[in-house]
Amino acid sequence: MLDVVPEGDVIWYTARRLHEALAGRVLTRSDFRVPRYATVDLRGQLVTEAVAKGKHLLIRTGNGLTVHTHLKMDGSWRIRPASAGEPRRNAHQIRLLLANDEWQAVGYLLGVTEVLPTAKEDGVTGHLGPDLLGPGWDPAEAVRRLTKSKERPIGEALLDQRNLAGLGTVYMAETLFLRGVDPSRPVGSVGDLSALVELGHRLLDANKGRLGHVTTGDTRPGRENWVYGRAGRPCRRCGTPIRRGEQGPPGQERLRFWCPNCQQ
C-alpha cells in the first residue's frame, strides 16, 4: 500500500495504475464493503477508463456508471494479479475490490466509496478549481480564484480545492518555502501568484510518475523535502529551526511547516 501522503501526484499515479489494470477489461468481481453499496454488483461491465480529478479517483464503465473514491489521508489502492486470490493481510481495511481475469484492484481505508451515473460526476467534482495535473490546467483561472479572498492566509487558500485541485499540505509547505512566502500572509500581499501556482504545478508534475514527494532534488531518505515534516530541525538554507503549526478554520485545521527566516 502507499506510504506517502495522497496528494495530487499520488492520485494521478494511482489512477494510471488502475487504468492499466482495469481499462478495456470486463469485471469478474465487484465487492463493495461499505454498507450503502454492499449490494451493488458491477460484474460483467466493461471498465472504460480510470482518471484522476484533483484528489478524486473515477473508474468509469461502459454501462454509464462511475465508481468514485477518495483516499482522504489514509486510503490506498493496491494492484495484484487475479491469480493471487483475495489478500488476507489487513483484510478488515478493504473497502472495495474490483477484479478481472488478469488483475484485481483492492482499495484500503478509502475515505469515500460510491457509485453514481457518469453523467452526474459533476456533482462530486464540479466544485473543483483547475486541476494541477489535468489536461485543462489553467493557471490564470487558479490565480483568479485565489484572489477572490485577498485577506485569506495564502496557506489556507492553496489547500482549498475550489481554488486549485491537487495541492495538499506537503506541496503547500514546499511551494511557499521555495517562493519565500510565510503561509500566514494574506493572499493579497503575495507577489506573483502566477509564479507560485506554476511552481506547484511543476513540483507535482515532476513527482507524478513515482511514489514520494521530492522537492529538493535529493531522493535519499530524509533529504526529500525542504520544510515539510522537519519541525525543530535546521533549515537547509539558513539553519534556522523549522516551525510547525496549524492553520485553518476550527475543525478544518491543517499542518503547516515553514522557516521563519526564509519565509516572510
Side-chain angles (χ1 to χ4, degrees):
M1 287 183 285
L2 305 179
D3 57 0
V4 293
V5 180
E7 301 202 10
D9 55 340
V10 172
I11 305 306
W12 189 96
Y13 178 87
T14 301
R16 187 183 70 175
R17 295 198 66 215
L18 287 168
H19 184 84
E20 291 172 348
L22 300 177
R25 297 182 174 94
V26 173
L27 292 173
T28 57
R29 185 172 182 186
S30 160
D31 186 355
F32 288 82
R33 300 183 184 179
V34 292
R36 184 178 178 185
Y37 297 97
T39 61
V40 171
D41 188 354
L42 301 181
R43 286 179 298 172
Q45 295 196 29
L46 175 72
V47 174
T48 57
E49 61 183 337
V51 299
K53 282 195 175 183
K55 297 184 181 182
H56 298 258
L57 284 161
L58 306 168
I59 302 171
R60 298 168 178 150
T61 78
N63 291 43
L65 294 177
T66 293
V67 178
H68 167 232
T69 63
H70 195 298
L71 304 186
K72 298 294 185 179
M73 293 300 295
D74 301 313
S76 63
W77 281 93
R78 176 176 289 176
I79 307 299
R80 294 161 45 93
S83 59
E86 183 174 330
R88 295 183 179 180
R89 184 178 180 184
N90 298 319
H92 65 287
Q93 297 179 351
I94 296 175
R95 301 293 178 264
L96 174 57
L97 193 154
L98 299 173
N100 51 51
D101 288 337
E102 291 190 60
W103 301 101
Q104 58 178 316
V106 188
Y108 293 85
L109 297 175
L110 302 174
V112 173
T113 303
E114 62 179 347
V115 181
L116 64 152
T118 301
K120 295 186 178 181
E121 282 181 5
D122 197 57
V124 294
T125 62
H127 67 287
L128 298 175
D131 186 348
L132 285 148
L133 293 180
W137 163 237
D138 186 347
E141 175 61 14
V143 170
R144 187 192 72 80
R145 293 189 180 213
L146 285 168
T147 53
K148 288 173 67 176
S149 302
K150 294 186 178 181
E151 298 304 314
R152 192 178 189 184
I154 186 63
E156 285 184 36
L158 288 175
L159 292 178
D160 189 335
Q161 302 299 294
R162 295 170 297 182
N163 291 329
L164 63 170
L167 212 66
T169 53
V170 176
Y171 287 112
M172 178 270 284
E174 298 295 289
T175 300
L176 291 177
F177 173 80
L178 289 168
R179 292 294 300 171
V181 177
D182 188 300
S184 64
R185 278 181 59 182
V187 170
S189 71
V190 178
D192 204 348
L193 283 171
S194 295
L196 181 66
V197 299
E198 281 289 19
L199 175 58
H201 165 71
R202 292 199 303 274
L203 291 177
L204 264 72
D205 191 62
N207 285 287
K208 69 181 184 182
R210 63 186 174 197
L211 290 181
H213 311 300
V214 179
T215 56
T216 60
D218 190 338
T219 60
R220 291 176 293 176
R223 302 287 299 178
E224 304 96 331
N225 300 138
W226 293 98
V227 293
Y228 184 83
R230 302 191 66 248
R233 299 174 65 184
C235 173
R236 299 192 193 282
R237 283 183 173 171
C238 71
T240 302
I242 299 299
R243 291 185 182 176
R244 166 182 168 165
E246 291 188 344
Q247 188 173 35
Q252 301 178 39
E253 297 89 350
R254 303 288 295 277
L255 283 177
R256 58 176 178 151
F257 296 87
W258 76 103
C259 172
N261 182 55
C262 294
Q263 295 172 253
Q264 302 295 324

